[in-house]
Amino acid sequence: MTLEVVFRDQWGRVLSTLVGILGDIELAEEAAADAFAVAAERWPRDGEPANPTGWLVTTARNRAIDQLRRRQVLAGKTTLLARDLELGQSAAAAGPDAATIPDERLELIFTCCHPALARDTQVALTLRTLGGLTTDEIAAAFLVPFDTMSKRLTRAKRKIRDARIPFAVPPDHQLPDRLSAVLAVLYLIFTQGWGGGRVDLAAEAIRLGRALAELMPDEPEVLGLLALMLLHDARRAARLRDGRIVLLDDQDRTLWATRELEEGREVLRQAMIRGRRGPYLIQAAIADLHLHVPRDWPQIAALYRTLAALTRSPLAELNLAVAIAEIDGPAAGLAIPDRLDLAHYRYFHSTRAELLRRAGRTGEAHDAYRTALELARTEPERNFLADRIAETAPPDAARGPARPG
């Protein structure tokens, strides 16, 4: 196993274990980074240890102790670490067995997603601590300068330390609300990667989702979110062609990732047998129905109605409009978006434009496509909408260029 693979798979576990010991994300992160740097130097020369994770945790812990001693502060923490040091000295060469290392990733996820932190900060901190993404990578994902993201992450870590935000899974009565924030952060990471073409972000969200499902295997919404991400991601290779979005019905199904699709369906099945149906499980069920030929539009519409009633989300109603249009025609579908207040949402305009086009209201569709283009964020979206604008342009083409300069 290469160090790169160990880093990708074990960074979150090593860091969360250290945060559990040290109670300080900044110090734990420095120590973990030091340990990986030492590994990069020694492993090629001495060979990979039998227990890479244990070796990294032991090395990082010893580095942290050295740092604390050098600083000559935090005497209390040094005392707390004394027992670990004594135990670690004999095991430092090989490291403890990986099975004896506490897996505290769940505590770290809930710490990063504490409600005292803003949602953007929750996402960034989760990517940094559990995903191991660099500050450069996170800054690029958020379209902000490196210094801005670096300061944001530093403030967040110090806020956790200074406010003594507990490194713990919240008690049962707080769990539903806090779990909701954790799932929202993971799905936001996925959608930023999926919609923005950042394959690495989408993959990272799935990896974190798998870790969360491993830690909370009986929670239907955790499984539902993982299934939802897998079912979407399985179509990734067929979703774009020549820089343009390919609609689901036009996708080459031989490009779909069969194993990921099967895994998503199995995770969905496991979620459904646990009984409770939440928003992510319902969305995963809808995502699966969309993959069947022919599509069961009445069932899809019924699930969107359930989702809309459960979440009060206008986005669920917008998607319901598409299902209704398939069942009763585009005019019936248009009745829904025309009463929604979603003018700021780019997919509202593109969805409404599609329904208008199918209803034969070409001029209105043309204008709606142009509005959607002004709000589009990615090049494939812009290319797709530009094609639609060209298709619906009036014969005299007196409306100006199809795409903004």
Side-chain angles (χ1 to χ4, degrees):
M1 189 185 302
T2 65
L3 183 59
E4 183 181 356
V5 173
V6 174
F7 179 87
R8 188 186 64 214
D9 293 344
Q10 298 297 323
W11 168 265
R13 188 175 180 191
V14 170
L15 182 61
S16 62
T17 301
L18 293 170
V19 174
I21 295 171
L22 301 168
D24 184 327
I25 293 178
E26 278 193 297
L27 179 59
E29 201 171 45
E30 289 174 17
D34 281 350
F36 275 97
V38 173
E41 177 191 344
R42 293 185 184 173
W43 290 11
R45 183 189 65 206
D46 302 336
E48 183 181 306
N51 300 301
T53 306
W55 189 96
L56 288 164
V57 168
T58 298
T59 302
R61 183 185 56 197
N62 292 339
R63 289 285 173 138
I65 292 170
D66 290 343
Q67 280 198 40
L68 291 173
R69 282 174 171 163
R70 281 199 300 272
R71 294 176 188 176
Q72 294 184 336
V73 294
L74 303 175
K77 288 185 176 179
T78 305
T79 301
L80 289 174
L81 287 167
R83 179 180 56 84
D84 286 326
L85 177 61
E86 291 172 3
L87 294 174
Q89 284 175 336
S90 61
D97 190 299
T100 67
I101 299 172
D103 192 340
E104 295 175 305
R105 286 174 295 177
L106 192 57
E107 286 83 351
L108 190 54
I109 289 178
F110 278 99
T111 302
C112 293
C113 297
H114 193 278
L117 303 174
R119 180 53 53 86
D120 279 359
T121 303
Q122 292 174 343
V123 173
L125 198 55
T126 302
L127 286 171
R128 181 73 192 99
T129 56
L130 282 153
L133 271 66
T134 66
T135 303
D136 261 337
E137 291 173 318
I138 301 170
F142 280 82
L143 304 177
V144 299
F146 171 87
D147 287 346
T148 300
M149 182 52 68
S150 179
K151 290 175 182 174
R152 190 180 299 176
L153 289 167
T154 299
R155 282 197 300 269
K157 285 180 273 191
R158 290 180 179 169
K159 183 170 186 176
I160 289 172
R161 182 192 64 196
D162 296 343
R164 297 184 178 181
I165 291 174
F167 179 72
V169 176
D172 288 348
H173 70 281
Q174 293 180 3
L175 195 55
D177 288 343
R178 295 287 300 281
L179 180 59
S180 173
V182 170
L183 296 178
V185 165
L186 292 189
Y187 195 41
L188 187 57
I189 293 171
F190 177 79
T191 54
Q192 282 190 336
W194 173 256
R198 289 288 308 274
V199 174
D200 54 340
L201 280 183
E204 188 53 39
I206 290 174
R207 198 179 68 77
L208 292 173
R210 283 195 177 106
L212 191 61
E214 181 184 325
L215 296 163
M216 303 182 75
D218 295 322
E219 178 52 56
E221 278 293 87
V222 172
L223 298 177
L225 174 60
L226 177 58
L228 176 63
M229 294 191 293
L230 288 167
L231 291 170
H232 280 319
D233 198 61
R235 298 188 289 105
R236 176 163 40 86
R239 185 168 170 261
L240 298 177
R241 185 190 305 147
D242 300 328
R244 284 169 168 74
I245 293 173
V246 182
L247 298 179
L248 180 59
D249 288 339
D250 300 325
Q251 291 179 6
D252 180 353
R253 290 174 177 248
T254 64
L255 297 177
W256 290 2
T258 306
R259 292 181 64 181
E260 198 171 20
L261 198 60
E262 290 173 350
E263 181 188 357
R265 284 175 167 156
E266 174 57 23
V267 174
L268 174 60
R269 189 184 71 81
Q270 292 293 330
M272 294 187 76
I273 63 178
R274 282 163 173 77
R276 287 181 289 115
R277 291 193 176 192
Y280 293 108
L281 200 160
I282 293 172
Q283 291 178 78
I286 292 171
D288 184 40
L289 285 169
H290 274 300
L291 303 182
H292 292 270
V293 179
R295 281 191 257 184
D296 187 344
W297 286 109
Q299 179 69 7
I300 291 172
L303 287 174
Y304 272 127
R305 285 194 180 93
T306 302
L307 185 64
L310 189 65
T311 63
R312 306 290 182 192
S313 167
L315 302 187
E317 293 201 52
L318 183 63
N319 284 304
L320 173 62
V322 176
I324 294 298
E326 292 291 336
I327 298 167
D328 298 324
L334 275 168
I336 295 177
D338 284 348
R339 59 179 168 77
L340 297 178
D341 182 17
L342 283 172
H344 62 286
Y345 185 53
R346 64 191 192 278
Y347 294 135
F348 166 78
H349 298 285
S350 57
T351 301
R352 184 168 174 273
E354 284 293 302
L355 297 179
L356 286 166
R357 183 178 67 86
R358 290 172 52 190
R361 294 160 62 178
T362 309
E364 293 173 83
H366 181 84
D367 292 341
Y369 281 127
R370 292 175 70 90
T371 304
L373 180 61
E374 292 172 2
L375 298 172
R377 294 180 182 174
T378 68
E379 196 60 24
E381 286 178 0
R382 284 189 278 272
N383 290 335
F384 175 84
L385 292 167
D387 288 345
R388 285 288 200 251
I389 288 170
E391 291 169 13
T392 54
D396 59 4
R399 295 170 181 265
R403 295 181 57 184

